[in-house]
Amino acid sequence: MNNKELTLLTDLYQLTMMQGYFENHTKNHEVVFDLFYRKNPFNNGYAICAGLEQAIEYIKNIHFSEDDLAYLRSQHLFSEDFLKFLQDFKFTGDIDAVEEGTVVFPDEPLLRVTAPICEAQFIETTLLNIINHQSLIATKAARVVSSAENDTVLEFGLRRAQGTDAGLYGSRATIIGGCNGTSNVLAGQKFGVPISGTHAHSWVMSFDEEIEAFRAYSKIFPQKCILLVDTYDTLGSGVPNAIKIFDEMKQDGIEFTTYGIRLDSGDLAYLSKQARKMLDEAGHTDAVISASCDLDEYLIADLKRQGAKISLWGVGTKLITAYDCPSFGGVYKLAAEKNDDGEFIPKIKISNNPDKITHPAIKKIVRIYDKQTGKMKVDVIALANETFDPSHDLTLRDPKARWKKIDLVGGTYTTKELLVPIFRDGKCIYNSPSVMEIRQHAKEELDGLWDEFKRIINPEHYYVDLSDELYYLKEKMLSEFRK
C-alpha cells in the first residue's frame, strides 16, 4: 500500500476525539504520549523493535485528500468547521524513538510523541499497527535464527502471510531479526535484501521422469543448484537422482557456487542423516542439505538435538504469521500535558490491574552495560531530565519489589540513552539505515545480551527498573488518588 494512502487507516474514535478537542478549543493543547508494550511475545526474554522507517513515512505523508474529506462528510458525524480544519492537517510535533533492531523490554517507551493533542491522538492507531507488526515478526525471526545456531535461515512465508502488506513488511522484519534472505522478490527489490529460492514439486511433476526434471533445472541454474528430492521417494529416487546429476555436472567441469538438496516432508532428522551419508559416499561432501516443512524455532531446536544434517532452513508459515503469538500488544498512553504556564504536568492511568497502571511524565530509557564484558546489565526508565554519571556509584531497585536492588560501583559500568530524535517541529531529522544495516545492529544488540535471556524456553527475566525519582512520583500520584 502506498504510504500516501494511509491517512484514513485509523480507528473512527481517533477522528471523533479530534473533533471533540477541536470543538472544545483544546486542539493545540500540547501533550506527550508513549508507545510501549507490556509483555514480551512468545514468552521470550526480549523483543526487537522494528517498523520505524515505515512509521516515519506515514507521518511525513499524512494528508486528508478531497476524497477523504468527502467520505468523512458522508458519515454525517463531523462538522464543516472540523472538516475544514482537516484540509491543512499535518504533523507538526516531535517524535523520539528507539532505533530499529534494538533489543527492548516491556514498559519501555519505544516512541515518545510530543505534539498538539489532535496530532498526537490521530497517529496512535497507525503507529501501533506498524510497530506492533514488524516488532512481532522481527522477534519471532530472532528466535528462529537462534535455534538454527550458525546455519543459514531463509524466510519463505509470503504465500501464507495475512495479506500483501503483511507479506512485504513481514519479510523486511524477518531480515532485521536475522534471516539471511527471503523468497519475496518485491521485498528484495524494495528493501535491498537477498532473495533466494529453488523449485517446487510441480517442476518435477511436469516431467516424465524425476531425473529429467533435475537435469533440466541443473542446466538452467548450474551455479546454484538445489534440487527438491521428496516429490516421489526421497531416499529411493530423489537423492540418488540428485547424486547422478551432481556427478554429471562435475564431469562437465561445472564449479558450483551452491549445490545440494531440499527436504520438504517426512522425518527430517532421519532423512537428512541418510541423505548426508549417501552424498558423502558419492563424494559430494560439500553438498548442502536444506529443509522446509512447517518449521519453527522449537522444531529446528529439536532437529538440531537429534543430529539432523541440515545447514539451511527455509521457514515459512510459522514465522511470517507469528503462529503461536499473533499480536505484539503495544499500547499508546498519555504521559504528560502542558498547563497554562507552559509546564508539562505528569499524567497516569490507574487500573485495578497493577500491570496496566502507566508510568507518568516525560521519560527516557537508560541502558546500563557492564564495562568489562560490554554486556547489557539493566535498563532504567527515568524522567527525561535526569542525569546518570557512570563515574558515580548507582543503586537501582526492582519497581515491584523494592527490597531487590543492585549496587553499581562507579567506573564499572557505562550508559546509553535509547531514545533518539526523529522529528522536530514536524520535520524528520533522522536518516533511516538500510535493512541490512539494521540487521547488523540487531545482531550486535543480541550479542550484547547474556545467553540466559535468549533461551527459547523459560528465559531469565531482564530487569527494567524505575529511577527513584520516577518511582516516587508514581507513588505520590497513586497516593493522592487513593486519598
Side-chain angles (χ1 to χ4, degrees):
M1 185 181 292
N2 190 310
N3 283 309
K4 294 182 179 180
E5 298 173 354
L6 297 184
T7 300
L8 287 190
L9 186 68
T10 189
D11 291 311
L12 178 61
Y13 81 164
Q14 308 294 8
L15 288 162
T16 56
M17 282 190 286
M18 286 175 69
Q19 178 162 274
Y21 299 136
F22 178 83
E23 298 293 347
N24 287 330
H25 307 291
T26 58
K27 67 180 187 296
N28 294 320
H29 192 55
E30 195 167 359
V31 296
V32 178
F33 275 87
D34 293 331
L35 189 156
F36 61 96
Y37 71 102
R38 295 191 178 105
K39 182 181 178 183
N40 285 324
F42 316 106
N43 294 314
N44 205 39
Y46 62 88
I48 292 182
C49 189
L52 178 60
E53 183 177 0
Q54 283 66 50
I56 290 171
E57 289 305 309
Y58 159 69
I59 295 293
K60 285 180 177 179
N61 290 293
I62 293 174
H63 170 69
F64 288 88
S65 68
E66 289 302 319
D67 287 344
D68 294 339
L69 295 172
Y71 173 74
L72 294 178
R73 185 175 289 109
S74 73
Q75 301 304 300
H76 305 294
L77 289 171
F78 305 105
S79 69
E80 284 301 318
D81 285 344
F82 177 64
L83 293 175
K84 185 177 180 180
F85 164 70
L86 293 183
Q87 285 181 338
D88 299 319
F89 182 85
K90 62 180 181 179
F91 184 78
T92 65
D94 299 344
I95 295 179
D96 297 83
V98 173
E99 294 188 281
E100 290 192 85
T102 301
V103 167
V104 291
F105 302 96
D107 295 325
E108 297 180 339
L110 309 185
L111 278 86
R112 187 180 70 207
V113 177
T114 306
I117 194 166
C118 269
E119 299 173 24
Q121 187 73 69
F122 176 70
I123 63 178
E124 172 186 5
T125 298
T126 311
L127 287 181
L128 285 170
N129 176 275
I130 294 169
I131 300 298
N132 276 341
H133 174 241
Q134 290 199 48
S135 299
L136 178 73
I137 303 302
T139 306
K140 182 69 169 180
R143 288 168 58 81
V144 171
V145 170
S146 176
S147 286
E149 299 173 359
N150 296 318
D151 295 343
T152 298
V153 177
L154 303 175
E155 179 268 311
F156 286 170
L158 177 58
R159 66 189 60 193
R160 301 285 173 77
Q162 287 103 335
T164 55
D165 274 6
L168 178 61
Y169 295 109
S171 292
R172 179 185 189 274
T174 66
I175 300 296
I176 290 172
C179 287
N180 301 89
T182 175
S183 66
N184 188 330
V185 180
L186 181 58
Q189 179 198 47
K190 189 173 180 67
F191 306 124
V193 300
I195 57 175
S196 185
T198 56
H199 64 81
H201 297 103
S202 57
W203 171 265
V204 178
M205 295 165 66
S206 69
F207 289 79
D208 292 335
E209 298 290 339
E210 181 180 57
I211 195 168
E212 292 304 320
F214 289 174
R215 184 172 288 117
Y217 190 83
S218 70
K219 291 184 182 301
I220 300 169
F221 302 104
Q223 299 302 315
K224 193 172 183 180
C225 184
I226 303 291
L227 301 174
L228 180 58
V229 296
D230 72 331
T231 304
Y232 302 118
D233 184 345
T234 301
L235 299 179
S237 68
V239 176
N241 282 331
I243 289 173
K244 290 177 184 177
I245 297 303
F246 299 151
D247 288 341
E248 291 175 8
M249 296 176 75
K250 285 194 173 182
Q251 289 170 7
D252 291 339
I254 294 173
E255 295 184 3
F256 304 104
T257 301
T258 302
Y259 80 108
I261 64 171
R262 177 162 71 97
L263 304 170
D264 190 49
S265 61
D267 185 334
L268 297 179
Y270 171 76
L271 291 174
S272 67
K273 285 185 276 190
Q274 293 301 310
R276 181 77 273 160
K277 181 179 179 182
M278 295 165 69
L279 288 163
D280 289 352
E281 289 177 349
H284 300 294
T285 56
D286 53 345
V288 170
I289 298 178
S290 62
S292 41
C293 187
D294 283 335
L295 297 171
D296 64 9
E297 64 268 42
Y298 302 106
L299 181 52
I300 291 173
D302 278 345
L303 290 168
K304 298 285 283 187
R305 280 193 290 270
Q306 294 169 47
K309 303 299 182 181
I310 299 165
S311 60
L312 191 158
W313 307 86
V315 188
T317 303
K318 293 184 178 179
L319 170 54
I320 203 67
T321 64
Y323 190 81
D324 51 332
C325 180
S327 175
F328 189 70
V331 295
Y332 187 83
K333 300 297 180 184
L334 183 67
E337 65 175 345
K338 187 177 284 188
N339 64 15
D340 293 337
D341 296 326
E343 179 184 1
F344 276 105
I345 305 302
K347 290 287 185 176
I348 187 170
K349 176 188 177 298
I350 297 176
S351 170
N352 288 328
N353 181 345
D355 290 335
K356 289 195 172 185
I357 299 175
T358 61
H359 301 318
I362 305 174
K363 300 172 292 296
K364 63 184 178 182
I365 315 164
V366 179
R367 178 156 293 165
I368 296 178
Y369 299 84
D370 181 83
K371 192 171 185 178
Q372 183 175 7
T373 64
K375 298 285 189 181
M376 300 178 197
K377 197 170 187 68
V378 62
D379 283 8
V380 185
I381 304 175
L383 297 178
N385 59 2
E386 290 189 68
T387 58
F388 291 78
D389 187 345
S391 66
H392 293 174
D393 293 351
L394 177 65
T395 297
L396 299 172
R397 295 176 178 82
D398 186 323
K400 296 181 180 179
R402 297 289 286 174
W403 56 272
K404 290 184 180 180
K405 68 175 185 174
I406 179 172
D407 294 310
L408 302 176
V409 177
T412 66
Y413 67 94
T414 60
T415 63
K416 177 183 178 181
E417 291 192 17
L418 298 190
L419 291 171
V420 300
I422 307 297
F423 282 87
R424 286 295 180 265
D425 298 324
K427 304 294 184 183
C428 182
I429 61 171
Y430 178 81
N431 293 319
S432 295
S434 71
V435 173
M436 297 306 289
E437 288 172 332
I438 298 170
R439 179 182 183 273
Q440 179 61 28
H441 173 59
K443 181 182 183 303
E444 292 168 358
E445 284 280 294
L446 288 168
D447 288 344
L449 193 60
W450 290 103
D451 289 343
E452 289 83 351
F453 304 111
K454 295 186 282 187
R455 284 197 296 262
I456 298 300
I457 300 174
N458 295 327
E460 184 57 69
H461 172 72
Y462 183 90
Y463 281 103
V464 178
D465 292 343
L466 302 184
S467 70
D468 283 347
E469 287 191 39
L470 177 55
Y471 177 83
Y472 289 120
L473 171 63
K474 184 175 180 179
E475 283 295 297
K476 178 184 176 185
M477 294 179 74
L478 290 172
S479 177
E480 289 174 350
F481 170 78
R482 286 192 292 269
K483 290 179 181 178

